[in-house]
């Protein structure tokens, strides 16, 4: 994947709207559809951010009492976030279909003339909501494969991660950040809550080649393969810092800025690991590679995996390039 970083060096403090508009000017064939889609995501994220910030006061951090298609406890905020993105894509008219962690099947928006499809985890790490730990949205944007005007199908989504048009995440943390790439570098925007606007705070993010942070659920140590156990022992010997807060976006974001590696290996319970390919691994892998890092399932680049189903899982090893390379020498 060739990364031609943006032709202009946007200044820190640039409002995201202005950045999106300038990026469109720099994209030869852009007609504004992707710009509008990105604005729709920005708006939905601001509304979700507001809901999260008052979750403790309004009981929306409680469970719905049902499980999502992944058989995970679904929080009311999960459904609020899912509904907000759905509304943004329906009304924005730039998305013809989406897949979501919170929905078993493909969701058609009725905008059959739209050329984009979206894979999204509306609110990842929601088990952290009621303990006030960072949570996140993860999204991938692709061109549809089916003809404009036709009704999209699941086939539209069975594309390799390297075919993504754009990918990003929102981290609802001590501050709320939106980080995304359109294939020309990774840019981070921080929400200024008093203005309700995102401003460029991290232009052209690059992952340090090396790091001393490893993120893995050590509690599963006995369920990991001997190779992964050996690597974790290596991290202990190197006195690397163990940082794992059970929220992929937060762990990934920290490692991207400071250098480090996140591992979600296969376990006896999850033969392919727990992380979902289409709306978690692929998006973060695109970002990682654009930032000079790597992402693999242990056999191949995440972005080269040929998906066969919309909710499939993949082992995920992602972060600093040299750390990922070194990990793969353990098998
Ligand atoms: P475990 C959250 O459910 C998530 O998908 C990621 O955000 C997080 O890194 C991981 O699962 C945590 O999983 O099995 O360690 O609790």
């Amino acid at each position: 994947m060739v990364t031609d970083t943006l032709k202009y060096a946007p200044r820190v403090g640039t409002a995201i709207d202005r950045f999106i508009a300038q990026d469109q000017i720099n994209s030869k064939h852009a007609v504004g559809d992707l710009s509008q889609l990105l604005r729709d995501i920005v708006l939905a994220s601001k509304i979700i951010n507001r809901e999260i910030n008052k979750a403790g006061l309004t009981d929306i951090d409680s469970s719905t009492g049902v499980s999502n298609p992944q058989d995970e406890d679904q929080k009311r905020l999960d459904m609020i976030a899912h509904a907000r993105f759905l509304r943004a894509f329906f009304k924005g008219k730039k998305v013809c279909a989406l897949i979501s962690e919170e929905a078993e099947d493909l969701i058609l928006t009725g905008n059959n003339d739209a050329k984009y499809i979206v894979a999204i985890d509306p609110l990842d790490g929601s088990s952290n909501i009621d303990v006030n730990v960072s949570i996140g949205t993860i999204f991938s944007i692709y061109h549809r494969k089916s003809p404009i005007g036709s009704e999209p199908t699941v086939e539209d989504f069975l594309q390799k991660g390297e075919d993504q048009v754009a990918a990003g995440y929102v981290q609802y943390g001590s501050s709320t950040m939106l980080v995304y790439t359109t294939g020309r570098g990774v840019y981070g925007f921080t929400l200024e809550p008093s203005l309700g606007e995102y401003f460029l705070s991290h232009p052209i993010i690059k992952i340090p080649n090396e790091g001393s942070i490893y993120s893995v659920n050590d509690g599963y140590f006995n369920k990991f393969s001997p190779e992964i156990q050996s690597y974790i022992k290596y991290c202990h010997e190197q006195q690397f810092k163990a940082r794992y807060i059970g929220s992929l976006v937060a762990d990934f974001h920290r490692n991207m800025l400071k250098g480090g590696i996140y591992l979600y290996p296969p376990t006896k319970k999850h033969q392919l690991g727990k992380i979902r390919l289409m709306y978690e691994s692929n998006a973060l892998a695109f970002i990682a590679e654009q930032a000079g890092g790597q992402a693999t399932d242990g056999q191949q680049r995440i972005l080269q995996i040929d998906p066969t189903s919309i909710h499939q899982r993949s082992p995920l090893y992602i972060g600093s390039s040299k750390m990922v390379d070194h990990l793969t020498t353990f098998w």
Side-chain angles (χ1 to χ4, degrees):
M1 182 170 303
V2 177
T3 302
D4 57 321
T5 306
L6 287 182
K7 294 182 183 66
Y8 75 109
R11 282 184 309 103
V12 167
T14 303
I16 194 165
D17 228 23
R18 193 184 301 276
F19 178 90
I20 290 171
Q22 185 62 48
D23 193 22
Q24 178 185 330
I25 292 168
N26 288 299
S27 313
K28 285 189 287 292
H29 310 298
V31 295
D33 290 350
L34 181 61
S35 296
Q36 181 55 49
L37 171 45
L38 290 169
R39 289 190 189 98
D40 293 338
I41 291 172
V42 164
L43 175 59
S45 76
K46 290 178 186 176
I47 295 169
I48 293 162
N49 179 65
R50 183 191 62 192
E51 297 302 326
I52 288 170
N53 287 343
K54 61 184 184 183
L57 302 170
T58 55
D59 183 36
I60 53 176
D61 55 353
S62 59
S63 170
T64 58
V66 300
S67 297
N68 67 10
Q70 325 302 327
D71 198 23
E72 292 165 343
D73 177 36
Q74 194 167 56
K75 302 280 189 181
R76 290 176 61 198
L77 254 178
D78 282 322
M79 287 317 293
I80 289 170
H82 173 75
R84 282 295 174 190
F85 282 108
L86 232 55
R87 179 185 173 87
F89 298 143
F90 271 82
K91 294 175 77 72
K93 300 197 182 308
K94 300 304 177 187
V95 172
C96 59
L98 67 141
I99 56 174
S100 166
E101 186 199 52
E102 301 306 330
E104 184 65 45
D105 303 312
L106 163 86
I107 299 170
L108 300 175
T109 63
N111 303 320
N112 289 345
D113 292 335
K115 63 187 175 193
Y116 291 113
I117 57 175
V118 175
I120 190 163
D121 184 351
L123 209 54
D124 178 72
S126 50
S127 59
N128 288 304
I129 293 172
D130 42 6
V131 292
N132 213 19
V133 166
S134 279
I135 50 184
T137 294
I138 309 172
F139 63 89
S140 273
I141 300 171
Y142 293 84
H143 284 118
R144 65 188 294 177
K145 294 195 293 189
S146 52
I148 297 279
S150 67
E151 189 167 277
T153 68
V154 168
E155 275 309 306
D156 280 291
F157 289 87
L158 301 184
Q159 302 186 45
K160 293 182 180 179
E162 62 190 1
D163 295 331
Q164 290 173 89
V165 172
Y169 60 85
V170 183
Q171 183 182 4
Y172 309 97
S174 51
S175 65
T176 292
M177 274 196 75
L178 190 151
V179 177
Y180 80 92
T181 183
T182 57
R184 294 196 297 225
V186 178
Y187 292 81
F189 300 82
T190 299
L191 183 66
E192 166 43 72
S194 64
L195 298 175
E197 183 56 277
Y198 285 101
F199 294 93
L200 184 63
S201 52
H202 296 68
I204 313 177
I205 299 176
K206 289 295 179 191
I207 304 182
N209 252 342
E210 283 281 10
S212 58
I213 294 172
Y214 72 104
S215 305
V216 67
N217 188 333
D218 265 319
Y220 301 152
F221 184 85
N222 295 332
K223 301 178 184 174
F224 291 147
S225 67
E227 295 80 6
I228 294 293
Q229 291 177 346
S230 300
Y231 180 74
I232 292 172
K233 285 177 189 161
Y234 165 81
C235 292
H236 296 163
E237 287 152 11
Q238 298 300 309
Q239 294 183 359
F240 285 175
K241 291 186 283 295
R243 295 288 185 273
Y244 188 79
I245 60 171
S247 188
L248 172 55
V249 166
D251 282 320
F252 175 77
H253 183 73
R254 179 203 52 246
N255 293 353
M256 184 162 72
L257 297 186
K258 293 181 179 284
I261 188 170
Y262 172 98
L263 307 87
Y264 207 106
T267 60
K268 293 185 180 96
K269 178 185 172 193
H270 288 306
Q271 295 293 323
L272 281 177
K274 174 185 179 186
I275 307 301
R276 272 75 55 166
L277 174 66
M278 294 309 295
Y279 39 79
E280 290 176 326
S281 298
N282 269 338
L284 299 185
F286 186 16
I287 292 167
E289 290 198 3
Q290 285 286 310
Q294 287 195 65
T296 176
D297 66 353
Q299 307 302 321
Q300 61 186 316
R301 286 168 63 224
I302 290 289
L303 297 182
Q304 283 173 315
I305 298 174
D306 219 348
T308 53
S309 77
I310 58 175
H311 293 298
Q312 78 182 61
R313 300 174 192 267
S314 73
L316 178 63
Y317 311 105
I318 187 169
S320 293
S321 185
K322 287 189 177 173
M323 295 183 83
V324 173
D325 276 341
H326 184 230
L327 167 67
T328 56
T329 64
F330 280 73
W331 36 84

